[in-house]
Amino acid sequence: MIYRFRVILDNDTEEDIFRDLEIRETDTMEDLHNIITQSFGFDGSEMASFYLSDDEWNQGEEISLFDMSEGMNQVRLMNETSLDDTVHEAQTKLIYVYDFLNMWTFYVELAEIAEENEGVDYPNLMFVQGQVPDSAPEKVFETEKDGDTNEFDDDYNIDDYDNLDFNENWN
C-alpha cells in the first residue's frame, strides 16, 4: 500500500506552503524524512525528529534521526521504525522538526492509503504549493495569563549594589 501525506510548513504568512507526497507503507521514517527535506529544498544534513501528534497537534513521542540520549532513555530511531508501525488510520498526524537551531516545523498528515500504481517510483512528490522562505518562520512561545505578572518581583533593586548583601542573598 501507498501512504499519501500532506506536509505543511508551520508559518504565519498568507501563502500556504505544503507538499503532497506518496511513499510505501513499508518504508522507514528516515525515508519520509528524506523526501520531506528534498521536497522543501533542504540538504538533509541537520538534526531532525518526528513527533506523534493528536488531533490538536500536541507533541507526543519522539522518533529521532540520531540517538542523542547517551543511553539515558530509549529513543525510537527513524531508520529502525517503519511507517506502518507509526502511522495508520487511528494515528494520522505527526509533527516534523528539521534543524533544531532554526526550528523548521511541519505538520505531517496521512491523507490517504491507496494501492500502489504500476510504473511509479516511490517515494513520489505529487504536488508543490508555495515557496519556502529563506529563513525559518519565527516561533512565538506564549504562556497562559493568570494575573500575577511579577511572580519573581522581590523588591530588590539590582542596580543598588551597596545594599545587596552577598552572603544573605546567595542561593
Side-chain angles (χ1 to χ4, degrees), residues 58 140-152:
N58 293 310
V140 177
F141 298 100
E142 297 179 4
T143 61
E144 294 181 20
K145 306 278 188 220
D146 60 8
D148 187 16
T149 58
N150 294 324
E151 179 180 349
F152 298 106

Side-chain angles (χ1 to χ4, degrees), residues 107-170:
Y107 299 112
V108 181
E109 185 166 11
L110 178 64
E112 184 179 15
I113 300 173
E115 294 289 328
E116 190 170 334
N117 292 326
E118 290 283 327
V120 176
D121 290 330
Y122 297 101
N124 178 36
L125 176 59
M126 298 170 42
F127 184 77
V128 172
Q129 170 68 43
Q131 294 293 322
V132 177
D134 291 336
S135 60
E138 190 171 318
K139 300 290 178 249
V140 177
F141 298 100
E142 297 179 4
T143 61
E144 294 181 20
K145 306 278 188 220
D146 60 8
D148 187 16
T149 58
N150 294 324
E151 179 180 349
F152 298 106
D153 187 8
D154 49 17
D155 295 327
Y156 285 120
N157 181 354
I158 61 169
D159 295 323
D160 186 8
Y161 297 111
D162 294 333
N163 291 326
L164 286 177
D165 183 27
F166 177 78
N167 293 326
E168 179 182 332
N169 297 308
W170 181 250

